[in-house]
Amino acid sequence: MTPNPYQRLTAAIDQASGRPQDRDWIESALITLVANKVRDQTSEGALQKVIRQVEESGQSTQDLYGDPRKWALEKTESWRQAGQDVFEAEENWSLKETLVSSLFGGAFLSFLFWLIGLLPSDRPSDQPLGFYFLPPVLVVSTLAVGRVFQGAQKKWGFAAACLATGLSTIVCAPTIAFVLFASYEIYTQTYPNWFHLLVALGLAALGTAAGFLLPSPRQEKDLDEEENYQEDAAWLARFKQELYARGDISDARVREESTRVEEHASQSGRSYLKEFGHPLTYALALSGQKKVQPYRLYLQSFMMLVIIGYWGFGLYSNTDQTSLLWRIPLFIIILIYGLLSTRKHYRAYQQARQG
């Protein structure tokens, strides 16, 4: 298997120094960078510079750079202040990020609804009030379903996350449709298409206000202290969470590694923490599986192709004949994109299997 960044860095520091304390320094700095969502390539590049300096000077990492966690946090803050694109997307958004994204996303979607309303159609341009609040509701529900997937994957794995996401979508979509059509019965007044622009402006204004008024979350995250994982159950839960979150290890492999940890610790009679160190360190030390991520991307693109096909069936049964003048060309463009994307990910998956 191809060595991961952790393995390359520990091998490099062992060769450059050979001092156990230098290896510990590199591990602690790397984990702090990972905890702050710094990309692997950036983290590895910064630490390789540290290793080269250690090799050239003969001094220890502690003498050259001080506390590893403080060094990593300072590097993280300098990259953030410089606006460098070195961070992975945050999985767990704060309340401020979620609210601002929902409001601006709703504004953008309302604008798109207004543009679509300008295109030829047999349907009346005036719509009930509930229709104009559909864009922000769709954005919020999409974000909510995404959070369900992320939370379920970190806790139970990819397969369970897909199931939870499917169930939440099945519940969410009919609920939105029911509330929307029920609102038509309660409030029958209709409004012109340009009302979407008012909604978009209002949502954008609220999003701007939320961005300025709500407090920003704390950015720098230090590594959890090992004392938090004295209990084996807490250690194992964090270990599995980190493996699930990596995205390049299958659920079966996570179960296999967890069982191996339990069996090894049982034979040695030592706690997981004493036997394997910090759970994040041990999770980083494991090699990934080359075909897991390409397979999941291929599966995702294939499911999107199914959704596009379902949309195409809707066009076939559509009674709005005038709108087909622009809906069919748009469908063809999106279908071609979906086919090319699925083909690309399928080839990447096949190469990973053969490699």
Side-chain angles (χ1 to χ4, degrees):
M1 293 185 180
T2 304
N4 58 33
Y6 174 88
Q7 293 168 330
R8 288 193 292 267
L9 287 168
T10 51
I13 191 62
D14 287 343
Q15 182 177 359
S17 165
R19 291 184 290 263
Q21 58 268 33
D22 285 340
R23 182 188 178 108
D24 294 341
W25 195 101
I26 292 295
E27 289 181 354
S28 183
L30 175 62
I31 294 171
T32 305
L33 293 173
V34 170
N36 283 275
K37 302 298 180 183
V38 179
R39 290 177 179 168
D40 290 347
Q41 184 178 4
T42 304
S43 300
E44 185 176 3
L47 289 169
Q48 288 289 4
K49 292 180 181 178
V50 171
I51 294 172
R52 285 196 296 270
Q53 187 65 26
V54 169
E55 186 175 20
E56 292 170 1
S57 66
Q59 295 179 274
S60 70
T61 48
Q62 186 72 31
D63 292 338
L64 288 171
Y65 298 100
D67 181 76
R69 300 179 186 180
K70 183 179 179 182
W71 175 87
L73 291 175
E74 288 175 351
K75 292 289 289 185
T76 300
E77 182 60 23
S78 67
W79 288 326
R80 185 171 283 115
Q81 289 182 356
Q84 296 187 34
D85 184 21
V86 299
F87 299 98
E88 301 284 358
E90 283 286 345
E91 294 182 357
N92 297 319
W93 285 4
S94 65
L95 173 62
K96 176 180 179 178
E97 292 168 327
T98 302
L99 183 59
V100 171
S101 298
S102 299
L103 291 170
F104 277 109
F108 176 72
L109 202 57
S110 293
F111 180 75
L112 287 184
F113 272 45
W114 171 73
L115 287 179
I116 292 173
L118 299 178
L119 297 173
S121 175
D122 293 333
R123 296 176 181 176
S125 59
D126 290 7
Q127 294 290 338
L129 183 64
F131 178 74
Y132 294 94
F133 290 96
L134 181 60
V137 171
L138 290 176
V139 172
V140 171
S141 61
T142 301
L143 290 176
V145 170
R147 290 293 298 273
V148 167
F149 176 82
Q150 292 167 355
Q153 183 181 26
K154 291 180 70 174
K155 191 169 184 179
W156 299 303
F158 179 76
C162 291
L163 178 61
T165 303
L167 291 175
S168 62
T169 302
I170 290 173
V171 171
C172 198
T175 301
I176 294 175
F178 174 78
V179 173
L180 180 64
F181 285 107
S183 70
Y184 294 171
E185 301 296 329
I186 298 172
Y187 190 83
T188 58
Q189 177 67 37
T190 59
Y191 295 86
N193 182 53
W194 56 260
F195 201 74
H196 275 305
L197 291 178
L198 295 182
V199 175
L201 290 173
L203 292 173
L206 289 174
T208 302
F212 280 107
L213 298 177
L214 292 179
S216 298
R218 178 176 175 266
Q219 295 291 345
E220 295 82 10
K221 301 175 184 177
D222 205 348
L223 177 63
D224 294 339
E225 296 294 337
E226 291 188 347
E227 285 73 11
N228 297 337
Y229 303 108
Q230 294 288 350
E231 295 185 3
D232 289 347
W235 191 102
L236 190 61
R238 177 63 188 277
F239 173 66
K240 292 167 70 174
Q241 175 183 314
E242 292 300 329
L243 290 184
Y244 283 136
R246 280 180 52 166
D248 62 348
I249 292 181
S250 67
D251 293 354
R253 171 82 182 282
V254 174
R255 291 191 294 270
E256 178 185 329
E257 294 294 344
S258 300
T259 301
R260 183 178 291 114
V261 165
E262 292 172 337
E263 292 176 349
H264 191 78
S266 177
Q267 293 173 1
S268 67
R270 294 158 57 112
S271 69
Y272 298 169
L273 183 62
K274 290 182 178 179
E275 191 68 22
F276 299 100
H278 195 284
L280 180 51
T281 307
Y282 189 59
L284 286 173
L286 297 177
S287 298
Q289 296 168 281
K290 291 178 61 177
K291 66 180 182 179
V292 170
Q293 196 168 46
Y295 170 73
R296 292 179 179 178
L297 290 173
Y298 163 59
L299 181 63
Q300 181 186 36
S301 62
F302 180 77
M303 291 305 300
M304 290 302 299
L305 197 60
V306 172
I307 294 173
I308 294 171
Y310 180 76
W311 179 38
F313 176 77
L315 292 180
Y316 174 77
S317 58
N318 186 30
T319 57
D320 185 359
Q321 297 297 313
T322 302
S323 68
L324 294 180
L325 295 174
W326 56 269
R327 286 192 178 189
I328 291 178
L330 180 62
F331 168 74
I332 293 174
I333 293 173
I334 295 177
L335 177 62
I336 292 174
Y337 173 79
L339 289 170
L340 292 176
S341 178
T342 303
R343 179 171 172 265
K344 171 187 171 184
H345 292 305
Y346 177 74
R347 284 187 167 184
Y349 170 56
Q350 289 296 326
Q351 290 176 357
R353 287 185 62 187
Q354 296 170 2

